[in-house]
Amino acid sequence: MAELDMPKPSMTGAGSAGLTIDRVTKHFGEHTAVDELSLDINAGEFVALLGPSGCGKTTMLRMLAGFESVNGGRIQLGSRTLASPETHVPPEQRDMAMVFQSYALWPHMSVADNVGYPIKLRGLRGTEYQQRVQQALALVELEAYAERMPQALSGGQRQRVALARCLVSDPSVVLLDEPLANLDRHLRATMEHSFRDFHRRTGATLVYVTHDQTEAMALADKIAVMKAGKLVQWGSPETLYREPRTAWVAGFIGQGSQLKVAAGHPGKRLEGGALMAGLNATEAERSQLALVRPEHIQVSMQPPATHQLTAQVDSVIFRGERFELGLRLASGETLLAYHHTAPDVGSHVAVSLQQGWCLEPEQ
């Protein structure tokens, strides 16, 4: 998208205060939805809360917004406490805005009126009102659609209207609840670009809930991976992909093969020679679980050399720029690998593993 010449909304809160989630807990009856979750989110960061359905990520977002109270811990914006067992600041006083999966636009209002509704409620009128609405629409590149009704827009355009409505009130934090879930694959890819551009233009602090690891990896500066109400791992997309803590995180983030080896230690990388030697040890010696990503497996159609293993081709899937191979070692363990040509299913290939990451045991 082209850079705009007009001034940005100030987003003064986003530039001045971080968001602290300190041992936050939420119970629904006997069920613990969020279990002592702690995160420090820097001002201006794009953070994703990622996990399967029921992991507590949406409940955490609703506690940030003020739609749910906390049973333990505290939420702070800068030095201001928003939530604790003794404190509950109402949603409208939190300096946050939320984008819902369903867009939540008023069907009887124009795009401009939808965007300006939050500041109209605050009594803003006249020239300043018009300028704020125009600025917010410009940031999502919808100035030309100001007088249209929401039903005349595409799904992606409606989501951008919802973003503009967030911006117009100049919030410190924008909360996004699976905002791409209702869009088709093509629109989702387009909106990923829009969200990245939105974040770059505004400098806002974004907290984004999703169950889609590809979406989180493409958008976020940092990702909080959640499971059963707990924080499992917190880090950059690259760290989570290259250095997952456990087998569950390794399986949830990206693709790969998990193999038992007689080498290495949890949280350490295994280079090719040590990894291959560890695979060739006896079964009783192989106690360390290692993750091997498909891009770290070399496949050859030639007979195996002394440092290679033989694998049978179980499946071949064309992915456009490459073939995805499902391989089976003599031990019965499976590998996922990439190759530029398609071997016959049932044939044998030579493989060498270039590196692996040693995983911690599940708690």
Side-chain angles (χ1 to χ4, degrees):
M1 295 184 184
E3 197 61 70
L4 297 175
D5 294 328
M6 68 181 299
K8 302 176 186 179
S10 63
M11 300 302 294
T12 52
S16 60
L19 186 61
T20 301
I21 301 168
D22 181 21
R23 294 170 295 173
V24 167
T25 298
K26 179 65 180 180
H27 304 295
F28 293 105
E30 295 183 358
H31 172 65
T32 301
V34 177
D35 192 357
E36 295 196 345
L37 182 69
S38 294
L39 293 174
D40 284 318
I41 300 172
N42 295 324
E45 278 189 324
F46 194 142
V47 168
L49 305 183
L50 173 67
S53 296
C55 72
K57 58 189 185 295
T58 296
T59 299
M60 186 64 248
L61 197 75
R62 290 177 62 82
M63 287 191 288
L64 288 173
F67 300 149
E68 299 282 356
S69 60
V70 307
N71 296 125
R74 62 188 172 87
I75 298 170
Q76 285 187 272
L77 185 61
S79 59
R80 183 185 179 212
T81 297
L82 303 180
S84 72
E86 302 78 33
T87 306
H88 183 82
V89 176
E92 65 273 15
Q93 296 176 20
R94 292 198 174 200
D95 198 19
M96 296 184 183
M98 191 159 179
V99 178
F100 297 92
Q101 182 177 323
S102 61
Y103 319 134
L105 303 179
W106 296 103
H108 64 286
M109 291 183 182
S110 69
V111 165
D113 288 342
N114 264 285
V115 170
Y117 187 69
I119 54 174
K120 184 171 285 186
L121 285 180
R122 298 180 185 180
L124 198 63
R125 298 288 190 274
T127 302
E128 186 180 355
Y129 170 87
Q130 297 295 336
Q131 287 178 341
R132 293 277 290 272
V133 171
Q134 184 182 7
Q135 276 188 330
L137 285 172
L139 278 167
V140 296
E141 298 195 328
L142 286 178
E143 310 102 300
Y145 295 80
E147 300 310 314
R148 295 200 188 182
M149 304 303 285
Q151 53 268 37
L153 304 180
S154 70
Q157 289 168 335
R158 292 181 198 185
Q159 198 58 279
R160 284 153 64 192
V161 174
L163 280 173
R165 184 177 55 194
C166 280
L167 276 181
V168 79
S169 57
D170 217 14
S172 292
V173 181
V174 177
L175 309 174
L176 303 114
D177 187 12
E178 305 224 33
L180 305 185
N182 289 336
L183 306 181
D184 61 35
R185 181 176 294 184
H186 173 72
L187 263 180
R188 287 165 74 101
T190 301
M191 282 303 297
E192 282 182 8
H193 288 291
S194 295
F195 279 126
R196 278 194 294 270
D197 191 65
F198 168 80
H199 183 238
R200 178 179 58 82
R201 289 167 186 259
T202 63
T205 303
L206 270 59
V207 183
Y208 186 105
V209 160
T210 182
H211 64 274
D212 187 323
Q213 55 100 356
T214 304
E215 202 174 280
M217 300 281 280
L219 290 170
D221 300 320
K222 288 183 182 173
I223 300 173
V225 183
M226 295 179 64
K227 179 186 178 186
K230 290 182 175 291
L231 178 67
V232 182
Q233 192 167 353
W234 165 242
S236 69
E238 184 175 352
T239 297
L240 293 175
Y241 183 82
R242 297 185 185 280
E243 302 174 1
R245 283 187 53 221
T246 66
W248 186 85
V249 177
F252 193 70
I253 301 283
Q255 296 181 297
S257 310
Q258 296 182 22
L259 307 168
K260 288 288 188 73
V261 296
H265 301 280
K268 301 294 183 182
R269 194 167 307 284
L270 267 179
E271 298 304 329
L275 177 60
M276 295 294 284
L279 271 174
N280 282 316
T282 65
E283 187 175 349
E285 295 174 310
R286 294 167 59 192
S287 59
Q288 174 62 55
L289 193 62
L291 168 71
V292 182
R293 297 293 189 190
E295 63 269 24
H296 297 143
I297 300 175
Q298 268 191 335
V299 177
S300 171
M301 307 302 174
Q302 303 298 319
T306 54
H307 64 283
Q308 294 177 311
L309 298 171
T310 299
Q312 178 177 302
V313 180
D314 282 351
S315 65
V316 178
I317 301 174
F318 181 56
R319 295 295 188 191
E321 75 283 6
R322 63 196 176 201
F323 292 92
E324 189 178 281
L325 310 183
L327 308 176
R328 186 174 301 276
L329 298 174
S331 63
E333 293 169 297
T334 58
L335 296 175
L336 182 69
Y338 300 143
H339 203 256
H340 59 279
T341 59
D344 294 330
V345 173
S347 66
H348 288 82
V349 295
V351 296
S352 55
L353 281 55
Q354 298 171 317
Q355 64 175 256
W357 177 256
C358 296
L359 303 168
E360 296 178 11
E362 297 285 352
Q363 298 297 318

